[in-house]
Amino acid sequence: MPLVSMKTLIQSGREQHFAVPLFDVPSLNAAIGAVEAAEAVNAPVILGMYNAWFDLPEAPAVCAGLHALAQGAKVPVSLMLDHGASYIQCIKAIRFGFTDVMFDGSSLPFAENLRITSLVCEAAHAVGVSVEAELGHVGLGTEYEVGEARAHFTQPQMVQEFVSASGVDMLAVAFGTAHGNYKTTPQLDLDLLTQLNAVSTVPLVMHGGSGLSEEQFKGAIQGGIAKINVATHIFNEIEARTAKSAADGKTNLFAIEAIIRESFRDLCTYYLQLFGTAGQA
Ligand code: 13P
């Protein structure tokens, strides 16, 4: 199965109410765990590379490894730049062979977000790469008190113009989730999500998947979310398993590498089943 853009499968997810997960993979070992999970449940999967890792000197080597892994997988695997910080970073991702890029202009004024997203779409589409943008702003879980974040929620009246003028393929929206660990229990505005889905011609994406209940995930997918990003929950699990292993006196390299791979495999399997992605490859 080739390395593929997830655009078509995410569109199917919107129609059939499943969501394709993006798992941020900081290393090849982590990615191997995610792909093993996807193969075990016959699901498509997106391997995300976060923008901060992307500019490290070793990024070309890591990307080459991810590329070979994806090409050898038995299920569709996409490589996606997560939260691309600039036009240049998106172009670099395309050069590295990524199939999908996110340009995150959510902290910019609307017009500037639209301008750069449009440029990214023009370049990416010319070579068959699909693009995600963000409208509204999904902040950090530790950043806002409940209620404060509402000021950054996506406004339905802005969606149509942004999507049609930019040509973007999928849109990340803010309706109550946040990145990282939550300070207080997250509250999702599913009525707002329904409105956003009604005005958007492209599938919607939910960031900040860690820390939500199974009911919240199901409500979001029912409300039109077709791609969900998850990172922190898996990182927390690795931390907990590493601490336990250390307490048991096992701190050697192979034990630690196994914890990373197995944590990714176990939690990615859980999310692929929860999101209805299992069996969709
Ligand atoms: P979490 O780390 O909160 O799961 O969010 C991941 C994410 O949205 C990456 O883009």
Side-chain angles (χ1 to χ4, degrees), residues 22 24 50 82-83 178-181 206-210 229-233:
L22 175 148
D24 279 309
Y50 187 64
D82 192 21
H83 293 281
H179 295 103
N181 292 308
M206 182 168 82
H207 282 245
S210 302
N229 287 19
V230 178
T232 302
H233 181 195

Side-chain angles (χ1 to χ4, degrees), residues 61-81:
V62 175
C63 291
L66 292 178
H67 205 264
L69 176 72
Q71 279 187 322
K74 297 187 187 76
V75 290
V77 177
S78 137
L79 297 184
M80 185 164 197
L81 169 64

Side-chain angles (χ1 to χ4, degrees), residues 156-178:
Q157 66 274 21
M158 291 183 160
V159 169
Q160 209 172 13
E161 182 190 346
F162 189 87
V163 169
S164 61
S166 65
V168 78
D169 302 291
M170 57 199 102
L171 188 68
V173 289
F175 60 102
T177 62

Side-chain angles (χ1 to χ4, degrees), residues 123-140:
H125 291 166
V127 290
V129 168
S130 71
V131 180
E132 174 182 332
E134 182 166 326
L135 191 62
H137 179 66
V138 179
L140 294 172

Side-chain angles (χ1 to χ4, degrees), residues 22 40 47-48 54 62 72 80 113 127 136-137 152 163 184 190 199 217 224 259:
L22 175 148
L47 304 178
F54 205 78
V62 175
M80 185 164 197
N113 188 5
V127 290
H137 179 66
H152 304 276
V163 169
T184 50
L190 294 180
V199 291
F217 279 120
I259 286 169

